[in-house]
Amino acid sequence: MTLLNNPRTRHRRLGVAAAAAGLLAALLTAGPAAATPDPGDGPAAQQRISSGDAAEARAAIASGEIPGKDEVVHSDNIEHLANVPKEAFTGLNSDLAFQGHYAFAGNYDGFRVFDISDPKAPKTVAQVLCPGSQNDVSVSGDLLFLSTDSSRSDNSCASTSQPATEKSSWEGMKIFDISDKANPKYVAAVETACGSHTHSLVPGRNNVYIYVSSYSPSATFPDCQPPHDGISVIKVPRKAPEKAAVVGFPVLFPGEGPDGGGNPGGPTNPGVSKTTGCHDITVLPSKDLAAGACMGDGILFSIEDPEHPKVIDQVEDNVNFAFWHSATFNQKANKVVFTDELGGGGAATCNAAIGPNRGADGIYDIVGKGDHRKLVFKSYYKIPRHQADTENCVAHNGSLIPVRGKDLMVQAWYQGGVSVWDFTDSTAPKEIAYFERGPLSTDTLQVGGAWSAYYYNGYIYSNDIAKGFDVLKLGDRRTDPAKRVHLRELNVQTQPDYFD
């Protein structure tokens, strides 16, 4: 199938549009809880849809409006080279990191190491069992870092779930030695307030700093008290990672009262998440910049002093953004793409009723200089293909495709698949390639699809929550120059200067 000349759009009848409109109303009026970020720590819940919606999904498949159950479709300029299904782990697949000819894939049960020296035939070289959502993963030199954002009985890889209301519960960062990729060794753990949902590395020669993003405090949680309006900063000595420790908790949203600063959320701003921390941060070390996606706010800040980051600008979108989820700079560092994870990654939001501006990307230009720089909104981007009401679909993790003079990005959309798009013109973004599977089910809404989709050394790698590790090859004159750019290491939330 091809997208480029004939975008596939799903046409909905009145009944289905009304049902989707009901979902939209629920997402907008339910308050911050409606934007629970990312699938939960337990088994993915299945949500049965109406018999009418199920019948329409089957009819749309039969007519070719959407791909069939588990059917793989893609634009003509993408080739699906490989898929490696889950093996030992049954949990949700999560984020990815890269080093040399290895890929490191997070899973709620632990992490997996792939040899990708032959992208057509990735091989598993290690599977490390270490439960604790989301197991966001990154690497630097001989060290691997793993986020734990579920309350555990202790900091070991044999821990069990335990209520966050218990003082002895543990959440935070785990550190592994990966000098032997086939035998990673657990070397240290650092507990952080409210755990570690995601993290971002600021690497140096002798030390690695980790910015830990976490949120949703409660007066009933001994180790996660409100206000929680900043990030934990961990310092890891490369030669002595066992001495890793929290060295600060910079407040990014100062304010008076028990809730601190940041977006108040509902009822002041209905359908918008209250800011009680950050979900994800992308750092750009070459420019001493970082962009934070912080629930109800987007921020730009300086990391010239990595232990003391300083906010430069703060923006909100109380019309179309429910949950500021992640951020990506362009190569010139004069734009930031923020994502809105409407529905927390578990809802069907890629439909006509939700529309093109919600659950989408927001493109912001960075104008001005130094500490006077400002984020200026330009436009939204959302995949142009409607998905079935049984498919969770919303903007999620992606990376730049390094082409000089162009702003190109590949991005995961859960069951909306993988989208390659061009935002060189901030006001007119457009899709140039895609890959997706049909729904996991035509009767129930099941959580699945691409969690991350990243470009690394000539190929796109995607971690599908349910289906496993995918490798895609992009062949397009607009993106082909990127094949000449080779990195020794890639953590997407530590964005490289591709042409330095």
Side-chain angles (χ1 to χ4, degrees):
M1 301 179 68
T2 180
L3 166 74
L4 305 182
N5 297 319
N6 183 26
R8 180 183 54 183
T9 301
R10 186 175 179 201
H11 303 289
R12 296 180 175 272
R13 293 186 291 275
L14 179 61
V16 175
L23 171 61
L24 174 61
L27 290 171
L28 293 180
T29 60
T36 302
D38 303 330
D41 187 31
Q46 298 184 10
Q47 177 184 337
R48 184 162 292 280
I49 64 173
S50 71
S51 59
D53 286 357
E56 194 217 5
R58 291 190 290 270
I61 290 172
S63 68
E65 290 181 41
I66 63 173
K69 181 179 176 181
D70 292 335
E71 179 188 0
V72 171
V73 296
H74 52 81
S75 53
D76 292 340
N77 52 359
I78 278 186
E79 181 182 357
H80 188 203
L81 294 184
N83 170 261
V84 184
K86 292 181 181 180
E87 292 179 358
F89 299 149
T90 59
L92 282 64
N93 283 332
S94 58
D95 214 357
L96 294 168
F98 305 89
Q99 187 180 83
H101 59 269
Y102 293 97
F104 303 83
N107 179 285
Y108 277 46
D109 290 337
F111 67 92
R112 193 172 178 182
V113 183
F114 292 99
D115 181 338
I116 55 172
S117 53
D118 180 359
K120 293 183 179 180
K123 297 177 181 178
T124 301
V125 297
Q127 297 189 75
V128 178
L129 180 65
C130 198
S133 70
Q134 302 179 135
N135 279 336
D136 193 40
V137 63
S138 61
V139 294
S140 183
D142 287 337
L143 300 177
L144 178 144
F145 305 93
L146 200 66
S147 284
T148 299
D149 192 38
S150 59
S151 187
R152 312 297 297 180
S153 57
D154 56 52
N155 64 9
S156 75
C157 286
S159 68
T160 58
S161 295
Q162 182 169 290
T165 52
E166 296 189 21
K167 176 61 179 174
S168 62
S169 295
W170 185 91
E171 300 178 67
M173 291 298 309
K174 295 168 183 168
I175 304 172
F176 291 78
D177 182 324
I178 54 167
S179 53
D180 180 355
K181 302 295 188 294
N183 295 285
K185 296 179 179 179
Y186 185 14
V187 297
V190 180
E191 186 170 14
T192 55
C194 301
S196 174
H197 193 70
T198 67
H199 67 271
S200 309
L201 304 185
V202 185
R205 177 172 297 179
N206 298 318
N207 303 297
V208 179
Y209 287 97
I210 308 174
Y211 289 169
V212 177
S213 296
S214 56
Y215 49 86
S216 296
S218 170
T220 66
F221 299 161
D223 299 321
C224 184
Q225 293 282 301
H228 183 74
D229 47 13
I231 57 174
S232 297
V233 179
I234 298 174
K235 182 179 180 180
V236 184
R238 288 190 184 275
K239 294 183 178 180
E242 68 279 2
K243 295 182 180 180
V246 174
V247 293
F249 186 85
V251 174
L252 303 178
F253 302 97
E256 297 180 358
D259 296 327
N263 199 316
T268 303
N269 297 315
V272 177
S273 288
K274 176 181 176 180
T275 298
T276 59
C278 289
H279 178 278
D280 210 336
I281 292 170
T282 292
V283 301
L284 188 59
S286 64
K287 300 291 193 296
D288 288 331
L289 279 178
C294 303
M295 304 182 72
D297 294 86
I299 58 173
L300 180 71
F301 54 102
S302 166
I303 58 169
E304 188 173 359
D305 179 351
E307 290 191 26
H308 303 94
K310 180 176 66 174
V311 175
I312 297 172
D313 195 25
Q314 175 181 349
V315 291
E316 296 177 355
D317 179 348
N318 295 317
V319 176
N320 289 317
F321 261 47
F323 189 91
W324 295 67
H325 176 276
S326 53
T328 303
F329 288 99
N330 70 335
Q331 179 59 34
K332 292 183 178 179
N334 59 9
K335 299 177 188 176
V336 181
V337 174
F338 289 103
T339 67
D340 171 30
E341 196 183 40
L342 173 67
T349 70
C350 295
N351 52 42
I354 300 298
N357 297 337
R358 301 183 190 275
D361 296 314
I363 304 168
Y364 286 75
D365 281 359
I366 302 173
V367 300
K369 296 182 179 180
D371 290 350
H372 300 289
R373 283 171 285 192
K374 297 291 183 182
L375 293 163
V376 179
F377 173 76
K378 290 298 181 179
S379 67
Y380 298 104
Y381 170 75
K382 193 172 184 179
I383 56 173
R385 298 169 309 287
H386 293 158
Q387 305 296 307
D389 284 342
T390 58
E391 294 179 282
N392 62 307
C393 176
V394 75
H396 212 235
N397 293 354
S399 76
L400 288 186
I401 298 176
V403 175
R404 288 185 184 274
K406 297 289 184 181
D407 296 326
L408 306 174
M409 185 172 175
V410 58
Q411 186 176 4
W413 289 78
Y414 289 116
Q415 286 194 72
V418 174
S419 177
V420 178
W421 57 290
D422 184 334
F423 62 104
T424 306
D425 181 347
S426 300
T427 66
K430 58 184 179 181
E431 185 172 71
I432 61 175
Y434 75 92
F435 167 89
E436 69 167 301
R437 291 181 170 90
L440 291 169
S441 169
T442 57
D443 300 311
T444 59
L445 196 162
Q446 299 180 17
V447 171
W451 179 290
S452 301
Y454 299 146
Y455 187 93
Y456 177 68
N457 292 353
Y459 298 89
I460 294 170
Y461 297 90
S462 175
N463 213 16
D464 188 288
I465 289 173
K467 296 297 183 182
F469 184 70
D470 287 307
V471 185
L472 309 175
K473 184 177 181 180
L474 181 62
D476 190 291
R477 58 178 177 78
R478 293 164 289 190
T479 59
D480 284 347
K483 296 176 182 178
R484 296 193 290 268
V485 178
H486 278 257
L487 304 177
R488 290 175 293 179
E489 194 169 87
L490 177 64
N491 303 294
V492 169
Q493 286 73 37
T494 304
Q495 201 167 306
D497 184 338
Y498 288 96
F499 303 113
D500 184 3

